[in-house]
Amino acid sequence: MAKVNLNYRKLSAGYLFPEIGRRIKAYQQANPQAKVHRLGIGNTTEPLTPSVVSGLHDAVERLAQVETYTGYGDEQGEEVLREALARFYSQRDVNLDKDEFFISDGAKPDAGNIQSIFSTTNLVAFQDPAYPVYVDSNVIAGRSGSYNSNQGNYSGFVYMVCNSENGFIPEPPGEKVDMIYLCSPNNPTGAVAKHKELERFVDYARYEKAVIIFDASYAEFISDSALPRSIYEIKGAKECAIEINSFSKFAGFTGVRLGWTIVPRALVCEDSEPGELHRFWLRRQTTCFNGASNISQSGGLAVLSKEGLSECAAVIGYYMENARVIREGLFDKGLEVYGGVNAPYLWLKVPPGLSSWEFFDKLLYEAQVVGTPGSGFGPSGEGYFRLSAFGHREDVEEAVKSIQDKIKL
Ligand SMILES: *Cc1c(COP(=O)(O)O)cnc(C)c1O
């Protein structure tokens, strides 16, 4: 008799995006003429750039000829791409060996899978609010107790509250934890951790022999050169941190699929020697993964070329101009707005007296604008609301104008 993984039953009903869809549908049925503006999704909208497209084409052409056709490649990714990534980091004075990079089909799968190289008895800390895969993958692995629907949290996890008082960057936990997930620039809050703030986490992790799992998927959205784009800009981080990153938001690869994870050889934890965790992740990838698409990898190599980098920076600049339009428009409206300067997300404080979901309805019914209720990202997201800067400029401008003209605060 097969039995199920009971941890799946613990997962809180993943009702955020389906519930948003349901409410939009109900509104549209009642108001068939209304045009709904979507600022809710964290998905890229602008096309791939010319040199990236040509990198993808080249790979298809190679696959079309018997002389250049290739099948499976290295599970950890093509050497030329890992070398290019190592050079990309060295330009920021972060020196990593090409073999410390593991190319993957994206940051979300890696963020979900990385926990498998650690003991299920580890105590885990998360930023609250957070991108859901960190919490959910640890629930599935069995590191949590049950879900408390009143508090919107799981027993057995440590929640690091992010709010306007701490600038949405928490202090390290007051207790001893074993694993810490950090995301900077942050989805959903748009906050970016400074060197000093990351130093406190690295110091904590080295002292406690804990491991930091650092999601840097939005690093390329940082325009302030004083802010760290990699955890390895912090001294000592190679001994205590894994970094996960992606071409998704960097280069519009949300559908193409390509990411990378860095597991330094120097990484240690309480019961392990340097090198072992690196070998474990290699073992995990060679066992359960067969390598990222060779076409995607050729596209990724083109992203990292001189032209690719400048073209992708221009697309990011376009999204960040959207962010500026939203930020200034809402600020003029008198709303309390955070983020949107070095990250493509804006995090609004919901007007007094309203919950995140009540504000969702108000925005939809009064201004026909869709965003994401902050409470969907964790209990401390209650009272906040996420707007995304991904979208076409005219849609963004229409949405902001509609909020300015129609919302009564
Ligand atoms: C969008 C996003 C990712 C990207 O995941 P991919 O699987 O590479 O598309 C990773 N982390 C965060 C926080 C994100 O918002």
Side-chain angles (χ1 to χ4, degrees):
M1 266 202 307
K3 300 210 172 47
V4 299
N5 176 353
L6 288 172
N7 296 317
Y8 276 85
R9 289 208 187 127
K10 289 184 198 161
L11 289 171
S12 72
Y15 86 133
L16 179 65
F17 288 100
E19 178 62 18
I20 289 173
R22 199 190 62 73
R23 293 191 190 205
I24 297 172
K25 207 165 153 204
Y27 175 80
Q28 281 182 322
Q29 271 163 3
N31 304 275
Q33 253 68 55
K35 181 179 177 204
V36 173
H37 311 284
R38 292 170 195 261
L39 295 181
I41 41 159
N43 201 352
T44 47
T45 57
E46 301 311 301
L48 297 174
T49 68
S51 45
V52 176
V53 171
S54 116
L56 294 165
H57 276 163
D58 290 349
V60 174
E61 289 307 321
R62 284 194 296 274
L63 291 174
Q65 309 292 331
V66 71
E67 297 81 12
T68 49
Y69 173 84
T70 51
Y72 291 125
D74 292 344
E75 289 92 344
Q76 63 270 46
E78 286 172 16
E79 197 168 349
V80 281
L81 180 55
R82 288 184 283 118
E83 281 166 354
L85 280 168
R87 276 196 303 278
F88 178 63
Y89 275 76
S90 70
Q91 284 151 15
R92 291 181 184 158
D93 289 330
V94 171
N95 292 305
L96 293 155
D97 185 77
K98 66 178 179 353
D99 294 337
E100 295 176 299
F101 289 85
F102 295 86
I103 310 299
S104 72
D105 56 348
K108 188 179 183 182
D110 284 356
N113 293 327
I114 195 72
Q115 50 76 29
S116 77
I117 64 172
F118 296 99
S119 165
T120 53
T121 63
N122 282 343
L123 179 60
V124 196
F126 306 94
Q127 282 169 293
D128 170 26
Y131 185 60
V133 65
Y134 319 136
V135 168
D136 288 358
S137 59
N138 279 284
V139 172
I140 291 169
R143 293 191 184 87
S144 75
S146 54
Y147 183 68
N148 312 305
S149 47
N150 293 336
Q151 290 102 306
N153 63 14
Y154 291 89
S155 47
F157 283 164
V158 173
Y159 290 81
M160 301 182 290
V161 173
C162 303
N163 54 26
S164 54
E165 283 90 75
N166 61 18
F168 304 97
I169 303 296
E171 287 297 317
E175 63 201 285
K176 180 180 173 3
V177 304
D178 306 307
M179 290 156 68
I180 302 171
Y181 286 79
L182 291 176
C183 176
S184 174
N186 193 267
N187 176 10
T189 67
V192 186
K194 299 184 180 74
H195 278 89
K196 272 264 163 299
E197 292 163 332
L198 289 184
E199 261 166 40
R200 288 202 278 275
F201 276 96
V202 167
D203 290 349
Y204 172 95
R206 291 178 71 192
Y207 181 78
E208 299 288 6
K209 295 261 172 147
V211 171
I212 297 168
I213 296 157
F214 188 77
D215 186 340
S217 293
Y218 295 96
E220 297 312 302
F221 288 75
I222 295 177
S223 54
D224 180 347
S225 59
L227 293 168
R229 296 179 191 196
S230 166
I231 186 83
Y232 304 116
E233 291 180 37
I234 312 304
K235 204 166 157 279
K238 282 188 199 170
E239 288 146 52
C240 66
I242 290 171
E243 181 162 302
I244 296 175
N245 209 322
S246 171
F247 288 93
S248 281
K249 316 302 165 29
F250 178 1
F253 275 37
T254 40
V256 177
R257 310 305 303 142
L258 194 67
W260 70 92
T261 283
I262 300 161
V263 185
R265 288 207 180 81
L267 182 71
V268 286
C269 63
E270 198 171 305
D271 57 355
S272 181
E273 293 298 311
E276 191 177 38
L277 286 164
H278 178 270
R279 285 196 303 278
F280 278 11
W281 185 243
L282 179 61
R283 185 64 217 251
R284 193 272 168 206
Q285 292 300 78
T286 50
T287 302
C288 301
F289 183 59
N290 242 344
S293 149
N294 44 16
I295 300 170
S296 301
Q297 293 190 71
S298 179
L301 197 57
V303 170
L304 297 173
S305 69
K306 196 160 167 277
E307 307 75 51
L309 288 173
S310 81
E311 290 168 7
C312 292
V315 177
I316 287 173
Y318 176 90
Y319 291 131
M320 292 312 296
E321 174 61 13
N322 286 349
R324 189 193 63 78
V325 168
I326 302 170
R327 198 178 70 245
E328 293 183 0
L330 300 189
F331 186 78
D332 287 347
K333 184 76 188 168
L335 284 158
E336 206 176 315
V337 195
Y338 301 92
V341 180
N342 292 288
Y345 295 108
L346 295 106
W347 192 238
L348 319 186
K349 184 109 185 75
V350 166
L354 295 181
S355 71
S356 296
W357 275 111
E358 284 164 351
F359 187 68
F360 175 92
D361 288 335
K362 182 179 171 73
L363 221 52
L364 177 59
Y365 279 77
E366 290 180 17
Q368 296 75 51
V369 173
V370 176
T372 314
S375 53
F377 299 99
S380 300
E382 182 55 87
Y384 291 94
F385 200 79
R386 190 190 79 173
L387 294 177
S388 154
F390 294 113
H392 306 308
R393 179 72 40 76
E394 54 182 51
D395 295 340
V396 168
E397 284 170 346
E398 272 179 38
V400 170
K401 186 164 183 337
S402 182
I403 293 174
Q404 287 187 322
D405 294 347
K406 299 181 183 166
I407 288 283
K408 288 180 284 296
L409 290 175

